[in-house]
Amino acid sequence: MSSLFKWYGSLGLATKQFIYLFVFTLFLVLVLAWRNFHDSEKLLHNQVVRDAELLVGRTNQYIDASLDNVENMLLLLSTRSDLLKEGNEETALDTLRKFADYNNSIAKTLYMVRSDGKVFASTQVNFEIIGNPHLPELYKLALENYGAINVSEPYYSPMSGHTLAYVLPITDARKQVQGVVVAEVNLDLLTERIAPMIYQSYVLFTQSGNVINRLDSRDKMLPVQPAVYPQVLQESFQKQLVTLKVGVSRIEGNSLKPLVAVKSTRNRLGWSLAAFIEEDYFYQDLQKLNNNYRDATILWMVALLFSAYILSRSFTNPIRRFVEKMDRLNDVQVVAKLPVTRSDEIGRLTQSYNAMLERIQNLLQKTKSAEEQKKEYELKMLRSQIAPHFLYNTLACISSLAKQQRIDEVRETIRSLVKLLSFSFDKQSEFVSMEEELEGLRMYMYIQQVRYGDQYQYELDINPGLLQYRILKLTLQPLVENALFHGITPHHGGLITIKGRIEKSMFRLYIRDNGIGISRDEIGKLLNEEFDQARSKYRFTGIGLRNVHDRIRIHHGEPYGLRIRSAHGVGTIIRVTVPVLLENEEHLGIWN
């Protein structure tokens, strides 16, 4: 993946834009095509399922209507108790034949069973030859629910084949049971009438899962038991029929092929009708739509390739010409502005480029001016490193100590003065380590303490790990000198504390004194170049706060320098902020 991004990054702008436009648009087209195809598939699926639900509902209504016809026949025959009387046998047989022949019913064989066991059938000759062993059970079934029609489970009858029976008691005027009327349903005829109404396959089954209709031997969708005729559903599939929810659900058919099952509500006999549709059926009509999408996608890809190429070239050619003009520029000091000949984005880019050249020239001038100012401050610092009054007073102090025979103090004072002068005159580098800066401060404070006694005290609170960092030479000494003669001396003594910390990735030094403090108006003037401090005759270097502040900013930039806070009568705190630099990082200024 990284190599792919690397390869893409090495391409030209025109090629990148071409690839991006092509890939993005192609992806968008494919997503839209897939979504439309998916929506079409879903729409077709829902339409077929809705049609199937409608057909199942209507088929279920037809089954109820057909069964109503059988029930009406039974109700009419149940009122003819006179047919069961002695001597009316021929009338009974003739009535049964008429009901069986002249009614458009799915009833195949009608029986009237007298209480003494005498049986009359609509096809009496066949019954006398073949018989029907199920009649005693059907007689008992009719008496189980007195006065109402009962329906048996499906069974095989010698007279009617695969059938089920409607049974109803026959009573006389005194409500005495005289016999039972039985109608065996022609399930084959029911199957023939239902089959054209369903798309592919269906099953009509009872609450216990017994299949009512005869299965079509040509049906390859539903799993059946092998080597059984007539065909019988596998028990596992038959059990699933009972658990199917009303409406649309999914079930596995023959060879585990997925089927969509549409199940109706139960009719008043507790029967349910389930129609089955192969899922592959939904995709057959989508093949033509799929081919149309494929052809349209190919044409779109060709058109997209051409249009993306033309579009990318129209963008990049003006930019290439603009780059060629820019490459002709060699010296930014002497720059001829590019002519603006367009009013579009390229023209605005040319205007921005011309404005950028002007800003670069102004920045170069400011940089040059800052460098000159830096050199000026350096010369100013070197010229004012030694104040004559400081040398005069220090030598006078040494002479006084010599007269008092304080040889050790004379020797230490001279040593401190020599080191201090060497530290000040050393021009090898403007940067020193924090340890060297503190050593120079120590020598300065020793001389001042020898001259003025213990009224000048100072403390250091700097972690030894910070002594390796580099700062500008003579950064602390002028600040301590300012605290001595403007804060502590008018206060007749005091303490100066110097702390060092690393805060927010910057090196910060805090110089605090407990002198007389500075008013708010004076603080605003201290770092203002218009109100630079007058040099005190007591100063060693003569370098004021403004000088230190400017030197830091010249070397390191605007975020660095001095911040002063003071309270009158309490003291003053000066915060020095410089970057964290090691010896090999001194050259890392704002100009690099």
Side-chain angles (χ1 to χ4, degrees):
M1 184 62 70
S2 59
S3 59
L4 180 61
F5 282 112
K6 186 177 180 180
W7 171 80
Y8 182 77
S10 64
L11 298 176
L13 182 61
T15 308
K16 287 181 179 178
Q17 189 180 36
F18 169 72
I19 293 176
Y20 175 77
L21 288 174
F22 177 73
V23 172
F24 177 77
T25 311
L26 179 62
F27 173 77
L28 185 63
V29 169
L30 292 178
V31 169
L32 291 176
W34 175 85
R35 184 167 182 178
N36 290 336
F37 184 80
H38 179 72
D39 290 344
S40 300
E41 175 189 341
K42 187 176 180 180
L43 181 64
L44 178 60
H45 180 277
N46 293 339
Q47 184 63 44
V48 172
V49 169
R50 283 196 297 269
D51 291 345
E53 288 178 322
L54 182 62
L55 289 175
V56 167
R58 291 179 177 176
T59 304
N60 206 30
Q61 292 175 357
Y62 172 78
I63 293 173
D64 284 342
S66 300
L67 297 177
D68 285 344
N69 194 9
V70 176
E71 291 179 0
N72 291 333
M73 291 171 54
L74 261 66
L75 290 174
L76 291 174
L77 291 174
S78 66
T79 60
R80 299 294 303 274
S81 59
D82 59 299
L83 298 177
L84 299 179
K85 294 180 180 180
E86 293 292 340
N88 292 335
E89 288 84 357
E90 290 298 329
T91 304
L93 293 174
D94 185 58
T95 302
L96 291 176
R97 280 194 299 269
K98 288 180 180 181
F99 268 89
D101 293 339
Y102 297 109
N103 286 278
N104 185 20
S105 172
I106 58 173
K108 187 170 185 178
T109 307
L110 299 176
Y111 303 92
M112 295 184 75
V113 183
R114 207 161 55 185
S115 57
D116 59 0
K118 179 65 176 178
V119 177
F120 304 99
S122 58
T123 55
Q124 186 68 22
V125 175
N126 292 338
F127 174 73
E128 291 176 354
I129 297 173
I130 301 174
N132 190 342
H134 297 281
L135 291 179
E137 296 179 3
L138 296 175
Y139 190 92
K140 294 179 181 179
L141 178 62
L143 300 180
E144 287 179 1
N145 189 9
Y146 181 77
I149 298 175
N150 282 344
V151 183
S152 71
E153 289 293 321
Y155 62 92
Y156 182 78
S157 168
M159 295 285 292
S160 304
H162 182 59
T163 185
L164 55 82
Y166 275 70
V167 294
L168 183 66
I170 301 175
T171 59
D172 57 14
R174 295 175 299 173
K175 303 298 181 182
Q176 298 295 321
V177 176
Q178 301 298 317
V180 172
V181 60
V182 178
E184 287 186 331
V185 176
N186 189 346
L187 294 181
D188 292 337
L189 178 60
L190 181 63
T191 301
E192 291 176 2
R193 292 181 179 179
I194 294 176
M197 301 181 183
I198 307 298
Y199 274 134
Q200 295 186 358
S201 182
Y202 74 96
V203 173
L204 182 64
F205 56 95
T206 64
Q207 295 185 31
S208 58
N210 292 327
V211 178
I212 297 174
N213 62 299
R214 181 185 292 273
L215 300 178
D216 190 347
S217 59
R218 297 169 296 179
D219 187 358
K220 304 299 181 183
M221 292 174 53
L222 305 182
V224 296
Q225 298 181 18
V228 175
Y229 186 83
Q231 289 186 340
V232 178
L233 291 176
Q234 292 182 1
E235 292 184 3
S236 59
F237 186 83
Q238 207 163 339
K239 292 178 181 179
Q240 293 183 65
L241 293 178
V242 181
T243 60
L244 284 177
K245 65 178 182 179
V246 176
V248 182
S249 56
R250 189 176 181 276
I251 191 172
E252 290 183 350
N254 193 22
S255 301
L256 301 180
K257 288 184 177 180
L259 303 176
V260 175
V262 182
K263 181 182 176 182
S264 70
T265 56
R266 294 176 181 174
N267 60 17
R268 57 178 175 270
L269 298 178
W271 297 355
S272 297
L273 177 64
F276 302 96
I277 308 171
E278 287 182 328
E279 285 195 350
D280 294 340
Y281 174 81
F282 300 107
Y283 300 102
Q284 294 176 1
D285 295 335
L286 292 175
Q287 187 61 39
K288 184 178 180 180
L289 182 62
N290 186 28
N291 294 336
N292 292 337
Y293 275 121
R294 181 195 60 198
D295 297 339
T297 302
I298 293 174
L299 293 175
W300 180 259
M301 287 177 61
V302 174
L304 182 60
L305 280 170
F306 179 75
S307 60
Y309 177 79
I310 297 299
L311 183 62
S312 62
R313 288 297 174 183
S314 66
F315 279 125
T316 56
N317 283 340
I319 296 177
R320 286 182 176 179
R321 290 193 293 269
F322 178 72
V323 172
E324 290 175 357
K325 294 178 181 179
M326 292 178 60
D327 290 340
R328 297 192 186 102
L329 298 177
N330 295 321
D331 187 3
V332 293
Q333 297 286 355
V334 182
V335 177
K337 293 184 179 180
L338 296 178
V340 181
T341 59
R342 303 169 63 103
S343 59
D344 56 6
E345 288 78 2
I346 303 300
R348 290 196 291 271
L349 179 62
T350 305
Q351 295 175 356
S352 298
Y353 174 73
N354 292 333
M356 180 189 68
L357 289 180
E358 292 183 2
R359 290 194 295 270
I360 291 176
Q361 289 176 332
N362 294 333
L363 182 60
L364 289 175
Q365 292 296 329
K366 290 181 180 179
T367 303
K368 184 177 180 180
S369 176
E371 289 291 341
E372 293 175 353
Q373 187 181 9
K374 174 183 175 182
K375 292 179 180 179
E376 182 182 349
Y377 274 113
E378 290 176 350
L379 293 174
K380 183 179 178 181
M381 181 193 70
L382 293 175
R383 286 194 301 265
S384 60
Q385 278 182 331
I386 299 178
H389 289 89
F390 174 79
L391 289 177
Y392 173 79
N393 291 333
T394 302
L395 293 175
C397 178
I398 294 173
S399 176
S400 175
L401 292 174
K403 290 179 181 180
Q404 299 175 33
Q405 299 296 318
R406 295 163 65 179
I407 305 303
D408 293 338
E409 295 181 4
V410 170
R411 183 184 298 111
E412 187 63 30
T413 303
I414 293 174
R415 183 182 296 111
S416 297
L417 180 61
V418 171
K419 290 183 178 180
L420 187 58
L421 293 175
S422 299
F423 177 74
S424 177
F425 279 113
D426 182 14
K427 298 181 181 180
Q428 291 183 358
S429 174
E430 194 172 351
F431 287 88
V432 294
S433 67
M434 189 65 201
E435 184 177 11
E436 293 172 334
E437 179 73 6
L438 293 177
E439 178 62 20
L441 179 63
R442 187 193 67 78
M443 293 182 292
Y444 172 78
M445 288 300 297
Y446 178 80
I447 294 174
Q448 297 297 349
Q449 288 173 341
V450 169
R451 291 176 59 191
Y452 299 107
D454 294 335
Q455 63 175 324
Y456 294 160
Q457 300 292 328
Y458 80 104
E459 294 180 354
L460 297 177
D461 182 13
I462 297 179
N463 192 301
L466 305 179
L467 299 180
Q468 60 177 329
Y469 295 124
R470 311 288 286 183
I471 64 171
L472 287 170
K473 183 193 299 183
L474 295 177
T475 297
L476 291 179
Q477 186 274 328
L479 305 181
V480 172
E481 183 183 45
N482 182 80
L484 285 175
F485 295 106
H486 294 281
I488 293 179
T489 297
H491 199 257
H492 306 294
L495 174 66
I496 299 175
T497 303
I498 302 172
K499 296 182 179 181
R501 299 286 187 271
I502 299 294
E503 298 176 354
K504 299 180 180 179
S505 301
M506 293 184 289
F507 189 14
R508 284 180 173 171
L509 297 167
Y510 297 88
I511 297 91
R512 178 175 183 175
D513 68 76
N514 57 358
I516 62 173
I518 309 172
S519 67
R520 183 172 297 179
D521 293 337
E522 291 177 344
I523 290 177
K525 298 177 181 180
L526 287 178
L527 300 180
N528 193 325
E529 59 185 358
E530 297 179 0
F531 298 94
D532 202 1
Q533 288 178 281
R535 295 178 184 172
S536 171
K537 66 180 180 179
Y538 300 105
R539 287 181 166 190
F540 164 60
T541 62
I543 302 175
L545 298 182
R546 172 70 188 179
N547 197 322
V548 175
H549 179 69
D550 288 343
R551 286 171 62 218
I552 293 175
R553 288 206 165 189
I554 287 173
H555 279 276
H556 304 303
E558 293 296 327
Y560 305 98
L562 304 184
R563 293 290 298 274
I564 302 175
R565 292 289 182 270
S566 182
H568 192 70
V570 178
T572 303
I573 297 177
I574 300 176
R575 187 187 74 185
V576 182
T577 302
V578 295
V580 179
L581 296 176
L582 296 175
E583 184 173 2
N584 58 349
E585 298 173 338
E586 293 176 2
H587 64 286
L588 298 177
I590 61 172
W591 315 119
N592 299 98

